[in-house]
Amino acid sequence: MNEKYLDELLQALEEGRLSREVVLAELKDLPYRDIGIAHLDTHRGLRDRLGEVVFAAGKTTSQLETILRHLLTMPGNILVTRLDDRQAAALQPLFPQFTYDEVGRCLVCRRREIEPAGRGTVLVVTAGTSDLPVAREAVITLELLGQPVELLADVGVAGLHRLLAYREQLWRAAVIVAVAGMEGALPSVIAGLVDRPVIAVPTSVGYGAAFGGVAALLGMLNTCASGVGVVNIDNGFGAACLAALINRAD
Amino acid sequence: MNEKYLDELLQALEEGRLSREVVLAELKDLPYRDIGIAHLDTHRGLRDRLGEVVFAAGKTTSQLETILRHLLTMPGNILVTRLDDRQAAALQPLFPQFTYDEVGRCLVCRRREIEPAGRGTVLVVTAGTSDLPVAREAVITLELLGQPVELLADVGVAGLHRLLAYREQLWRAAVIVAVAGMEGALPSVIAGLVDRPVIAVPTSVGYGAAFGGVAALLGMLNTCASGVGVVNIDNGFGAACLAALINRAD
Amino acid sequence: MNEKYLDELLQALEEGRLSREVVLAELKDLPYRDIGIAHLDTHRGLRDRLGEVVFAAGKTTSQLETILRHLLTMPGNILVTRLDDRQAAALQPLFPQFTYDEVGRCLVCRRREIEPAGRGTVLVVTAGTSDLPVAREAVITLELLGQPVELLADVGVAGLHRLLAYREQLWRAAVIVAVAGMEGALPSVIAGLVDRPVIAVPTSVGYGAAFGGVAALLGMLNTCASGVGVVNIDNGFGAACLAALINRAD
Amino acid sequence: MNEKYLDELLQALEEGRLSREVVLAELKDLPYRDIGIAHLDTHRGLRDRLGEVVFAAGKTTSQLETILRHLLTMPGNILVTRLDDRQAAALQPLFPQFTYDEVGRCLVCRRREIEPAGRGTVLVVTAGTSDLPVAREAVITLELLGQPVELLADVGVAGLHRLLAYREQLWRAAVIVAVAGMEGALPSVIAGLVDRPVIAVPTSVGYGAAFGGVAALLGMLNTCASGVGVVNIDNGFGAACLAALINRAD
Amino acid sequence: MNEKYLDELLQALEEGRLSREVVLAELKDLPYRDIGIAHLDTHRGLRDRLGEVVFAAGKTTSQLETILRHLLTMPGNILVTRLDDRQAAALQPLFPQFTYDEVGRCLVCRRREIEPAGRGTVLVVTAGTSDLPVAREAVITLELLGQPVELLADVGVAGLHRLLAYREQLWRAAVIVAVAGMEGALPSVIAGLVDRPVIAVPTSVGYGAAFGGVAALLGMLNTCASGVGVVNIDNGFGAACLAALINRAD
Amino acid sequence: MNEKYLDELLQALEEGRLSREVVLAELKDLPYRDIGIAHLDTHRGLRDRLGEVVFAAGKTTSQLETILRHLLTMPGNILVTRLDDRQAAALQPLFPQFTYDEVGRCLVCRRREIEPAGRGTVLVVTAGTSDLPVAREAVITLELLGQPVELLADVGVAGLHRLLAYREQLWRAAVIVAVAGMEGALPSVIAGLVDRPVIAVPTSVGYGAAFGGVAALLGMLNTCASGVGVVNIDNGFGAACLAALINRAD
Amino acid sequence: MNEKYLDELLQALEEGRLSREVVLAELKDLPYRDIGIAHLDTHRGLRDRLGEVVFAAGKTTSQLETILRHLLTMPGNILVTRLDDRQAAALQPLFPQFTYDEVGRCLVCRRREIEPAGRGTVLVVTAGTSDLPVAREAVITLELLGQPVELLADVGVAGLHRLLAYREQLWRAAVIVAVAGMEGALPSVIAGLVDRPVIAVPTSVGYGAAFGGVAALLGMLNTCASGVGVVNIDNGFGAACLAALINRAD
Amino acid sequence: MNEKYLDELLQALEEGRLSREVVLAELKDLPYRDIGIAHLDTHRGLRDRLGEVVFAAGKTTSQLETILRHLLTMPGNILVTRLDDRQAAALQPLFPQFTYDEVGRCLVCRRREIEPAGRGTVLVVTAGTSDLPVAREAVITLELLGQPVELLADVGVAGLHRLLAYREQLWRAAVIVAVAGMEGALPSVIAGLVDRPVIAVPTSVGYGAAFGGVAALLGMLNTCASGVGVVNIDNGFGAACLAALINRAD
């Protein structure tokens, strides 16, 4: 499209319909604006699939309503993450076309067919049941990105047999998203079992010296296993985006 | 092999050569020892390619000499990382079969052909020239892992034109390893430009409130771009392993 | 049981009822699933006594209700820890078979006789009255674990005579759980008085530079006395489990 | 004025209307009180323009009411910053002469003509829409200080093209106030594009390892670009004062 | 002995050999000095076995020489911990009656028979070979305390099969000392496997975000397994003392 | 009193009214219990004056009511500190004999004459008006301790003339309590002006990088002036106790 | 120049010397490469004056030699900052054309006339003599940038009279760079005295809870005075660049 | 004196010897310069006694030599603190008139009689022998300040009987300086025993989670005892200055 516009400009110059001065002025600014958009747009690939994403935390209900009404005038899927109970209760009656996931605290509006986009399966694993909200956010995001997803919950390292019972499922996965709070040892153990990329998501689950997820974060950054990349505390969405880029079919 | 051993055990039982009690006792312990080793070995895939890796930091020269002499009695390539000047000066005359990379502070002994193992190219990018040791460690590790690697140095965000001049190279890469100290903004900017996985490596480059890489680490974990996974401060080796797993051909 | 299953398999092979191939396939996976469970289960000993434990913090009242209704369909005692006032008020009318401890913020359902399981007495000591919730959580847990418990409250180091007045009780104990906030000096002083293991529990009692228990935690980790093991901030439950393992009769 | 008062005192002494003792007593304290005010008063220049500023955070509604009633008995403009919803709702009906800015959470009473006081334009730039409250606080303060202001929102570094599209506006500004949370990379990138002073304002926008603005703060302090001065987290008011001092016309 | 002295005093009073005033004066101070010593001495039990312990870090060679010459005039065993290479090299020729342990960096002088004092075996386990100095310090201390000790090295969680291969040895131990740096996950995994007390020792092994052992320390304090007590970073000596108190025979 | 009891015991022995065995048993325990109380009681001097002090933070209203009803059955003054609005509103109607100080958030019951107990005047100085609650807590405590007190508010270092105007009052004081939040520079400046002890009280006033008073605390600990002792953040009560001990008349 | 090149391209197209396809290809890449360089170069203005700047910390002597030899083949002034004693001793004999400033630890090669570039005077003020190295680095940088500079040393807040004695000099300055370690209160006090921008530079001077400059940094960020911008710890160079941009004549 | 000068000025005006303009000009500047100097000098009282104090840490030997030669040309005592071995070895032969204290790492030159200046005795107490350097620095400073000093070493809280044996000495002291590293509990315990001001000095003694004295610092700030003021880590000199101000005779 932008290339087409460039082509038209040059054709007009060639045919004398536009003066050199006019074309020169246009060209000087153009690349930053239009070609720029083509080249520089943030993860166009991801965004094309995901549609629009709204981070609800810290927004008022009325701000969210305005944003969603605006987005509904445009095509594409919509994902709202990090809703609290109050926000969810207020928005659900207003937007019946959205589905609300209570565990993952996400509102999703699917208006477009999602094409399969993954080479293999992304396996989301959690250490405990309290890590499920973060895991669900990842699962929902991955589904919108067309990724085949599986979820394996509550297989933390304090009961190794629970994890080892699923070693086959771990081995089959193309990418593993390991979600854990407290001491955050799950990604280390998993990365020692498989030879696929492991995305480690520390969660704010825990108390005292867990420091809101810092203990888990440090544990994951200092893993003695190789093949682990870490994202921010509770960032299930970010882990899903990275997993989708790693696992993309093309 | 292990399956073969199991088969032999069962055959002996079937043929009456071993009593049920003996086989029972053997089987109870076996899986953890032998099948266990087969299944659970840490990143067997990576290690098969890499050969042995020795982390030199904190080891005495004589400890390193002992370890290397031992490793040389076995086949496979050898990588020694994080050597300081004194260690390197002492070991080089003793081990002429190793090549020393001064920038990356690694000793490498290549005794086995490295098979190409990557789907695309891994691009290692640094914000400044001081980040080069960490980047070189990543490059050397990637080469031993059979990955096609390119290195792009000193394209930090304070001079965006330097980075933008290489946007084509950025777009061509299958995986990008972005190495940066100080404010650590490079991975954010790159992840905003491309739609491939970006592995962010904070470095201890900086002073004062850089806190030995903590500022860069926090910057990377809090990136507003998606598709970024972070490893430990100065962990070029770990970033390379993760990149290789993401980019592996099979 | 698992051994019995193994025995049956082998017998079937011996008697020709199962082919070697079938038994081989079964055996390869088995140990991780069944023998695994037998060997690897988390503190089976503790859990057998304790029954089920539910950590209420961060769970909604309806989630708790669901969990408790489920647990009540199974045998054994049930302990719910870290309830807030709202949760407690909502759950008490629904579950009359539970006893609520206001200080320790625990719900307990005793449906099974608790056998005595300790060699000596576990003495729980607090520095101040504000440390009592954590101490009560420890006491309740210890009682469910069949441990003889004594509680000694408000004997902090700013009034040494209070502590010294109980030196005989301190000397009689087999294990001491020392609970303290603020500067957390109590375990140091006690460990200097007795020659029994001291489990130090920092509490979040304090303000300003207490940093939610960090000052007490650091004080306990840096104790100049020997024989002190530290658990997480406010972790009365964890201290009790450790004390019970140390003091177990068998 | 003070000098005039001094002159009058001396004249009275010279003319015998006041005794030396009286004048001596007056003079001993005077300089600290009156000349003092002239010399030592906090940024008299700024305050003369700004009028009075009230920091609402942590004050009760009735305390704020008392303060505002008192200030209204005196001449000059009044700025109230950091109001929360409850405070704003309570005060607005009571003080119809104030205008409330919902985004910037400021109440402003303009009773005096504001003279233009800037050499050039101050450009306030934000990385995301969530940074707007801090940016608005800066804009409102700058307007009261007689500074020509422009606002450019949501041009963070993850989508460089958005920022680059405004490079001309960036180049035209005399001072730039760059407001960003999360990784806080915006000031670095801007300072690399322009050769004017950049005032960096970290915001508490973000979660997890953003640590309430600390990640952004560290990023800004460690900028690899030169020409950046940093203020406290969320301190839009302080950034505006500094920008006004830099850009003042005289 | 002290009781005997008290008895003599009272007898003298009864028999009129001492006046009431004299006895009164003596009694007022006595308990703190003499009975006090008997009751209050720091872990007399431990010290009786261990003999004297000298912490070498931060002491000059000549200070150490003076201390050791003094201790040699008294009976009992002597343990010097945390020697650096320079200290060890200087002291060894001067004190041939001491044995130096290079890995554990301890000098030991055994002059007294050590009586067995443990109920079971203390198992010291390390995650990596770099944790050995801390583990050796624990082993040497335990031996001096008359405890049966076993050492199991380099069985960290990134290669679970290594750890699982020793599950029987883990199950046999009465107390386990788990030594680990980096992410410090080893104690969590072990405590999930056994039902004996686990003493967790974080080590300063690691780099970057390991923060000199803080990551491991936090991991251990936040363990999701129960039955874990934590000591200070690198405190092998302290872990051994605690283990000995837990495992003492009487 | 205790000495009298001892005397009686000895007299009874001397006169044969008690056997040696009985006296011996009594004496062994006595000193820790009774003489102990006499010697070891926490700041008996302070407590005798202050009466009882109740720290309200973290206590429920009903807990406070119970405690106060109990204390009212005993003689002496009563001070309740750190009340929040809800607690104060609930307790005031129940306890009309208490006076409530809204700024200092203290309830005071004066039932005993307070004797003057200070050598000089204690001057409490604050940097800003937001520091007043902490300063009032100090003033109220000092008054109960019989100390002559003066209060000087809002003389922070950003407007030096305000502080310098009171240099005479500063010079007259025997002890100065300097209360400041934000950068906490007030004690440094005051200690440079006077040659009397300065007690520095950091407050949690501030935002962002004030970290709840940590910035002020660090500023005070690092003062370049000499003669400054620091107490915990917001600890007006503790500063008053220290000031009273320094300034005590005897 | 770039515009000229664009003009030539278009003219060639207009005249049929280049095909539309060729021009199209050229145009698509051009702006980022060439116009880009023109527009985006880092502080071209500053760099034009300063010439090249080399940060010596962390570089080997031989690396520095190579860099300097290279820079000497190009025109312009050269500034080397953060040299340690060893580096300085090695480089001075090799590069006689450089002047070494022992206090500021800078090597300077002036080969080009420096044009005056400031509107007013930049005043660099230090709290103590230990802050001089950082202040000298700022002074040297400012001189190379053509700024009129004055230096005022050792006027910290613990002896206010020293600072107040220079109030006239403070009032005359256009920009003030305030350099201080320990509690870092100097910029607050100065910003309360003048109405010009104050650039605060925390230094790593101090010990204990100074935490290498963190206490000073926090003090400066939390200043209660307005008009203060903060740079990184010990960053005299950065403060000078910011001062020069603020004070630039055009 | 200054008042006299003011009086003369006014008299001259009254008598017509000086014009109003001249007096006006003089008056405007005067108070800040001359009265200022008289009033504002830093702890003139302390400095008069102490003479000059030089903080050696971070200064080169030649800088120290220059400073000392300069100070020797002036009268009064001289104290040099925080010398390292190298500095001490270099300076001792050059300055035979100084006495070197090896433990306290201070050089002292006494050239003036020190008058007794204390009301009571200052007791310096240490928890361990490793705290002695800090304690000696305090003792030496106190002696130069004319304070009666006693030193009581190695009476830490892990062996309470050691401390309690000296309770009489503790009770006799007018001020107590309590020096402790590791968990820093000593000041809490002492302040619970006596009713005199306690100055708490945290030391950097310890390892691991002692964080260079931070654990002890936090412990002291959070003391549950009242009457404790804290100084910076290892700041024996500062504690002595504060003790001297508290204990001064006049």
Side-chain angles (χ1 to χ4, degrees), chain A residues 134-154:
Chain A
V134 176
R136 276 298 299 161
E137 185 184 289
V139 167
I140 291 165
T141 306
L142 283 161
E143 286 170 352
L144 285 171
L145 286 164
Q147 299 289 321
V149 199
E150 292 173 14
L151 176 62
L152 179 54
D154 196 21

Side-chain angles (χ1 to χ4, degrees), chain H residues 118-138:
Chain H
R119 281 181 297 149
T121 297
V122 179
L123 178 61
V124 179
V125 189
T126 81
T129 49
S130 312
D131 302 314
L132 272 177
V134 176
R136 277 297 302 161
E137 186 183 288

Side-chain angles (χ1 to χ4, degrees), chain C residues 135-146:
Chain C
R136 276 298 298 163
E137 186 184 288
V139 167
I140 291 164
T141 306
L142 283 160
E143 286 170 353
L144 285 171
L145 287 164

Side-chain angles (χ1 to χ4, degrees), chain F residues 226-227, chain H residues 42-54 71 75-81 107-115 117 137-147 237-238 240-242 244:
Chain F
S226 45
Chain H
T42 313
H43 279 305
R44 191 189 185 79
L46 282 182
R47 188 164 294 171
D48 276 3
R49 284 189 207 286
L50 257 184
E52 292 294 332
V53 182
V54 181
L71 292 180
N77 296 330
I78 305 171
L79 169 62
V80 191
T81 63
L107 272 174
V108 178
C109 176
R110 290 203 180 195
R111 295 181 296 177
R112 204 176 61 177
E113 195 60 30
I114 297 167
E115 290 171 86
E137 186 183 288
V139 166
I140 291 166
T141 306
L142 282 161
E143 286 170 352
L144 285 172
L145 287 164
Q147 300 288 321
F237 172 77
C241 290
L242 178 54

Side-chain angles (χ1 to χ4, degrees), chain D residues 179-195:
Chain D
V179 184
M182 300 172 87
E183 84 267 62
L186 186 64
S188 289
V189 170
I190 291 179
L193 291 173
V194 304
D195 60 349

Side-chain angles (χ1 to χ4, degrees), chain C residues 114-139:
Chain C
I114 298 166
E115 290 171 87
R119 280 182 297 150
T121 297
V122 178
L123 177 62
V124 178
V125 189
T126 81
T129 49
S130 312
D131 302 314
L132 272 177
V134 176
R136 276 298 298 163
E137 186 184 288
V139 167

Side-chain angles (χ1 to χ4, degrees), chain G residues 149-165:
Chain G
V149 199
E150 291 174 14
L151 176 62
L152 180 53
D154 195 21
V155 292
V157 302
L160 271 188
H161 63 289
R162 294 178 302 182
L163 180 61
L164 294 177

